Amino acid sequence: MKLASYNNGRRDGQLMLVSKDLSKTVAVPAIAHTMQQLIDAWELLQPQLQELYEALNDGLIDNAVDFDEAKCLSPLPRAFQWADGSAYVNHVELVRKARGAEMPETFWTNPLVYQGGSDCFIGPKADIPLASEEWGIDFESEIAVITDDVPMGVSADSAQKHIKLLMLVNDVSLRNLIPGELAKGFGFFQAKPSSSFSPVAVTPDELGARWEDSKVHLPLITHLNSELFGRPNAGVDMTFNFSQLVSHVAMTRPLGAGAIIGSGTISNYDRSAGSSCLAETRMLETIADGKPSTSFMKFGDRVRIEMLDDNEQTIFGSIDQQVVEYKG
């Protein structure tokens, strides 16, 4: 099943059921008005939506209209929880190597997670407004899951059944603000502005065999200013799968329905696949040449993030955003 949230002028948008090929869509107010309402009562409402989804794909919904990604907010325009992991330890290893630091062994056994701002996500086609290029503007191409209610202390084996939807992420990062914040020993805040999510969220079964072991086994494709930047495979070199990430986040607290858990930047040891953020490219340049040669994003730069199925058809729609100057 595929779902979106249209911008209807309200904070949480209008829940839309979207056809498998992303060609048609229909509102489902008789079932749920918003994505959060759906997630809150997933077990009750999902079977009703599934029946409508099959009818939509068969062309049997008379009031279906053409799907328009430009009308989409992030699937959850705001959420009660947004926790982003760093499941590709290869990426973390590069960060530390570039600055000559050893990596603790615990990084291979205990996931890194930070709690992001979830009160105001940016739409997948909306501009990214930032006040200064000096902040070191970067994109991070990722995957995220949305859960239903997750009990505290859930095991990794049990966590997978709580994963209801998947979507793509642009976890915008301000790299030049990060060192100063981390030096205080209290984590990110200003260095992590609002994130963006793909137009469409999908149930795991939509990925077929490409969803295995709580991982998405497909390349995540990023273009920067219309040029291919990277297409690392999200199922390769993922040290901690999504079930493990959900279990880790829920170790000391329950998660409310609609919690979003991110994978962190997709990264492969095979460097020919490219990267999913500018920071990783800069780190590789630093390791090879002693200094980076790739600059961070400037006002007017555009990033596009998407994932294609085995038939080269888009699964989630695309995140396609331009960085613009915020003037208050």
Side-chain angles (χ1 to χ4, degrees):
M1 192 161 57
K2 298 193 175 187
L3 300 159
S5 293
Y6 263 12
N7 186 351
N8 63 349
R10 298 182 179 180
R11 191 185 295 269
D12 296 310
Q14 171 70 59
L15 179 66
M16 305 295 292
L17 188 64
V18 184
S19 63
K20 188 177 184 67
D21 63 1
L22 305 192
S23 66
K24 295 293 181 180
T25 188
V26 65
V28 287
I31 297 175
H33 289 280
T34 68
M35 187 75 77
Q36 186 63 52
Q37 288 179 351
L38 170 61
I39 295 294
D40 283 340
W42 182 267
E43 295 304 320
L44 173 65
L45 301 180
Q46 185 273 339
Q48 301 174 52
L49 270 180
Q50 184 64 41
E51 184 176 346
L52 277 179
Y53 180 64
E54 292 169 8
L56 179 63
N57 287 324
D58 290 338
L60 302 177
I61 304 295
D62 292 337
N63 60 334
V65 297
D66 291 343
F67 178 58
D68 185 355
E69 292 185 25
K71 294 182 179 179
C72 290
L73 303 169
S74 284
L76 278 170
R78 57 178 174 168
F80 293 111
Q81 176 71 263
W82 159 228
D84 197 19
S86 192
Y88 298 82
V89 180
N90 151 57
H91 176 73
V92 183
E93 190 176 36
L94 275 177
V95 173
R96 300 182 71 87
K97 184 176 181 180
R99 67 171 189 258
E102 292 294 322
M103 193 174 76
E105 283 298 316
T106 55
F107 280 30
W108 293 101
T109 57
N110 197 24
L112 291 171
V113 177
Y114 84 90
Q115 191 165 27
S118 60
D119 53 326
C120 185
F121 296 133
I122 302 175
K125 307 297 185 182
D127 291 338
I128 302 170
L130 294 167
S132 175
E133 293 178 341
E134 300 304 312
W135 289 344
I137 304 166
D138 199 357
F139 56 85
E140 290 192 58
S141 304
E142 309 181 8
I143 301 170
V145 299
I146 301 176
T147 73
D148 62 3
D149 289 301
V150 180
M152 181 171 67
V154 69
S155 68
D157 288 341
S158 298
Q160 181 164 327
K161 67 184 180 184
H162 294 286
I163 296 172
K164 301 305 180 185
L165 293 166
L166 296 103
M167 52 189 179
L168 307 183
V169 191
N170 180 14
D171 180 41
V172 182
S173 294
L174 304 177
R175 300 296 185 181
N176 293 339
L177 300 185
I178 289 176
E181 288 203 284
L182 292 184
K184 298 176 182 178
F186 215 54
F188 302 122
F189 195 89
Q190 292 177 331
K192 290 290 186 176
S194 297
S195 298
S196 305
F197 297 85
S198 52
V200 174
V202 311
T203 50
D205 61 287
E206 288 290 330
L207 299 174
R210 297 299 187 175
W211 173 251
E212 184 180 4
D213 189 30
S214 285
K215 301 177 183 179
V216 179
H217 294 266
L218 284 166
L220 184 58
I221 305 165
T222 303
H223 285 84
L224 178 61
N225 295 326
S226 300
E227 294 187 6
L228 180 64
F229 187 83
R231 48 179 300 123
N233 192 301
V236 176
D237 304 320
M238 190 180 192
T239 309
F240 305 102
N241 66 25
F242 280 111
S243 294
Q244 291 170 313
L245 290 175
V246 171
S247 174
H248 176 81
V249 172
M251 176 180 172
T252 60
R253 67 176 90 170
L255 303 180
I260 304 173
I261 312 298
S263 65
T265 306
I266 311 299
S267 181
N268 289 170
Y269 279 106
D270 178 4
R271 307 302 179 203
S272 68
S275 298
S276 296
C277 68
L278 290 163
E280 182 169 292
T281 296
R282 287 167 58 88
M283 287 182 281
L284 290 167
E285 291 167 348
T286 298
I287 292 167
D289 306 322
K291 62 179 181 180
S293 55
T294 298
S295 64
F296 288 120
M297 296 182 81
K298 305 296 184 184
F299 298 140
D301 284 349
R302 180 174 290 277
V303 61
R304 180 183 174 94
I305 302 166
E306 63 185 330
M307 180 174 279
L308 307 180
D309 63 20
D310 292 334
N311 296 316
E312 296 295 302
Q313 300 300 308
T314 186
I315 298 171
F316 302 89
S318 66
I319 298 172
D320 194 340
Q321 300 178 294
Q322 187 175 44
V323 176
V324 299
E325 184 176 8
Y326 177 69
K327 298 180 179 180

